């Protein structure tokens, strides 16, 4: 959902920055790697100790690399299968770091095993949501569904509310820490709905494809039918 409305805006904003990196000889793959390292470090250093504000600031600085590297590749006119594979793979690493860091907080000093479990569900369901689309496409299905909560929504909801919840520990704003649990529950439910949407879509598309394949005449049968008709005409003559 956010991909449709926000990506075009950020593409326009980040295009000059991407062009500047290209002029300096920076490759898209390098931006992908640096962005993933930055997100991972920010999540696993700050989040487990409850520094959600500064952790979110650091993560946000690097998370836009996901748009910058693709912008750079388009400007170079050389988008590659390797680049797409690397980008998609490292996205999963970054997502795991974000939710893993939050889970470490709740398993430790946050002392809330229920929210730790919810966070782990967000992590695992997000990975499976991405897998269902990739797997469906690998077997020749379009998987033509956007879904309620995709990667962009998961990150925006989690990072924005995590950052605001950090105001309680960092700036002493009372009662605002509840925003992070709200974010996790929303992402968990939304991811479950999205997973259901993906599974239902793949099931429907696979059934439609199977029906279309069954309705096609087999070439051997068509030839046999033509031969039978010729033989029947010969007998009649």
């Amino acid at each position: 959902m956010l991909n449709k409305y926000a990506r075009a805006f950020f593409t326009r904003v980040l295009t000059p920055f991407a062009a500047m990196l290209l002029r300096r000889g920076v490759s898209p793959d390098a931006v992908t790697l640096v962005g993933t390292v930055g997100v991972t470090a920010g999540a696993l250093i700050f989040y487990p100790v409850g520094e959600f504000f500064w952790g979110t600031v650091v993560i946000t600085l690097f998370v836009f690399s996901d748009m910058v590297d693709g912008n750079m590749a388009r400007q170079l006119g050389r988008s590659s299968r390797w680049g797409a594979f690397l980008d998609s793979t490292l996205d999963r690493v970054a997502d795991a770091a974000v939710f893993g860091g939050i889970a470490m907080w709740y398993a430790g000093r946050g002392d809330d095993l229920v929210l730790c479990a919810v966070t782990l569900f967000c992590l695992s369901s997000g990975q499976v949501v991405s897998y269902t689309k990739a797997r469906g496409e690998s077997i020749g299905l379009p998987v033509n569904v956007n879904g309620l909560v995709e990667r962009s929504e998961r990150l925006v909801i989690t990072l924005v509310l995590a950052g605001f919840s950090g105001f309680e520990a960092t700036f002493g704003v009372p009662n605002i820490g509840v925003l992070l649990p709200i974010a996790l529950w929303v992402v968990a439910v939304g991811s479950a709905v999205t997973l259901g949407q993906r599974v239902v879509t793949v099931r429907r598309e696979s059934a439609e494809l199977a029906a279309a394949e069954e309705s096609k005449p087999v070439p051997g049968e068509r030839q046999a039918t033509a031969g039978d008709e010729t033989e029947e005409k010969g007998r009649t003559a």
Side-chain angles (χ1 to χ4, degrees):
M1 293 171 65
L2 285 177
N3 282 338
K4 181 178 180 181
Y5 299 105
R7 186 167 290 272
F9 169 76
F10 284 111
T11 296
R12 290 194 298 270
V13 172
L14 296 173
T15 293
F17 179 65
M20 182 271 291
L21 292 177
L22 289 173
R23 289 194 299 269
R24 294 179 177 273
V26 179
S27 71
D29 288 351
V31 172
T32 303
L33 290 169
V34 170
T36 303
V37 170
V39 170
T40 302
L44 296 182
I45 291 173
F46 290 96
Y47 280 3
V49 297
E51 288 288 349
F52 292 108
F53 174 76
W54 292 114
T56 300
V57 170
V58 172
I59 292 169
T60 302
L61 291 175
F62 288 97
V63 79
F64 285 105
S65 65
D66 186 49
M67 295 183 182
V68 174
D69 56 6
N71 193 309
M72 293 170 67
R74 285 190 295 273
Q75 290 190 44
L76 289 173
R78 62 180 193 192
S79 298
S80 65
R81 292 182 178 87
W82 161 250
F85 169 81
L86 181 67
D87 186 60
S88 179
T89 300
L90 294 184
D91 281 349
R92 307 288 84 75
V93 174
D95 292 355
V98 170
F99 289 104
I102 297 173
M104 290 171 66
W105 162 251
Y106 284 121
R109 292 165 59 184
D111 192 24
D112 194 323
L113 292 182
V114 172
L115 286 176
C116 178
V118 173
T119 306
L120 291 176
F121 179 80
C122 291
L123 191 163
S124 58
S125 61
Q127 304 285 355
V128 176
V129 165
S130 299
Y131 173 79
T132 53
K133 186 173 181 63
R135 181 58 177 153
E137 291 174 343
S138 73
I139 59 176
L141 301 174
V143 195
N144 191 21
V145 59
N146 290 324
L148 180 64
V149 176
E150 297 184 311
R151 182 174 186 260
S152 297
E153 286 83 3
R154 292 195 302 270
L155 282 179
V156 169
I157 293 170
T158 303
L159 293 179
V160 169
L161 295 189
F164 279 119
S165 72
F167 279 38
E168 184 167 343
T170 305
F171 303 110
V173 179
N175 303 321
I176 200 170
V178 71
L179 290 178
L180 180 55
I182 291 173
L184 294 173
W185 280 107
V186 169
V187 171
V189 173
S191 296
V193 172
T194 304
L195 179 58
Q197 290 176 303
R198 292 271 174 92
V199 170
V200 169
T201 298
V202 169
R203 186 177 187 279
R204 174 178 54 79
E205 291 178 348
S206 61
E208 291 173 351
L209 181 60
E213 290 175 345
E214 290 177 359
S215 65
K216 291 181 180 179
V218 179
E221 291 181 353
R222 184 184 300 172
Q223 293 174 1
T225 301
D228 292 343
E229 291 176 353
T230 301
E231 183 178 355
E232 184 65 28
K233 289 180 181 178
R235 289 175 179 175
T236 303

